[in-house]
Amino acid sequence: MPLPELDTPERVIFEERVKQRLKDLAYFGSRKLDGDSSRFHILFRDEETGEIIAAFARARHPEGQRVETTEISFESQGILPSEEAVLQAVDILLETNLGTPMICDESILDELRGDSLQMIDEGHFRFIGNPRGKLEIYVPVPVNVS
């Protein structure tokens, strides 16, 4: 499905869906990294349009507060240009923000699979196939409660 036209109800629905997914992934990132990094990159594919959404997020844990009070702010967010592949986005991230971990979904991780992707533990991967450096990647993993 193509990206909905601006100023249409479909576009509003798309933007709300993206906003909620960014928020969910940002809170996942803040819990997963838990103080290791207050700044991280988010990359995911919108399931309905196929668009790849990228954002930089920052998590702040107020001292003495519970984890539920984590404050999330977004430095930037946008849709990746259609000609930019996931590997190019990773290359740019490593070139401009070395050391910034990435939170992504399974569809993005699938595009990075291969000899260059090492599994560290469940939901934590390391992308080593770039001459600019290594990238820590975290993916929400479904929990089977049966």
Side-chain angles (χ1 to χ4, degrees), residues 19-124:
K19 182 179 174 183
Q20 184 60 51
R21 186 72 172 134
L22 280 171
K23 184 177 162 186
D24 291 346
L25 288 170
Y27 278 105
F28 164 78
S30 72
R31 287 189 310 273
K32 188 70 174 178
L33 298 170
D34 196 29
D36 290 344
S37 175
S38 65
R39 185 173 187 264
F40 48 92
H41 189 254
I42 298 173
L43 196 63
F44 72 95
R45 184 179 313 280
D46 178 61
E47 292 177 2
E48 295 209 15
T49 64
E51 297 290 343
I52 298 175
I53 313 300
F56 281 98
R58 190 173 292 279
R60 191 172 85 71
H61 306 282
E63 283 192 43
Q65 301 287 327
R66 297 186 326 202
V67 173
E68 295 84 34
T69 61
T70 299
E71 298 170 5
I72 301 290
S73 59
F74 294 97
E75 296 174 8
S76 64
Q77 63 189 49
I79 299 172
L80 244 56
S82 57
E83 67 275 359
E84 187 173 314
V86 170
L87 282 173
Q88 290 170 306
V90 166
D91 190 47
I92 292 167
L93 178 62
L94 287 169
E95 180 180 359
T96 59
N97 292 278
L98 188 62
T100 302
M102 185 170 78
I103 308 299
C104 69
D105 64 7
E106 281 286 332
S107 73
I108 300 299
L109 188 67
D110 285 344
E111 291 192 36
L112 299 174
R113 289 198 193 274
D115 295 340
S116 298
L117 192 65
Q118 295 178 333
M119 183 173 174
I120 306 304
D121 57 34
E122 190 173 25
H124 178 195

Side-chain angles (χ1 to χ4, degrees), residues 122-138:
E122 190 173 25
H124 178 195
F125 300 84
R126 185 171 294 132
F127 186 74
I128 59 171
N130 191 299
R132 298 187 198 289
K134 298 174 186 167
L135 176 63
E136 299 298 317
I137 300 173
Y138 298 89

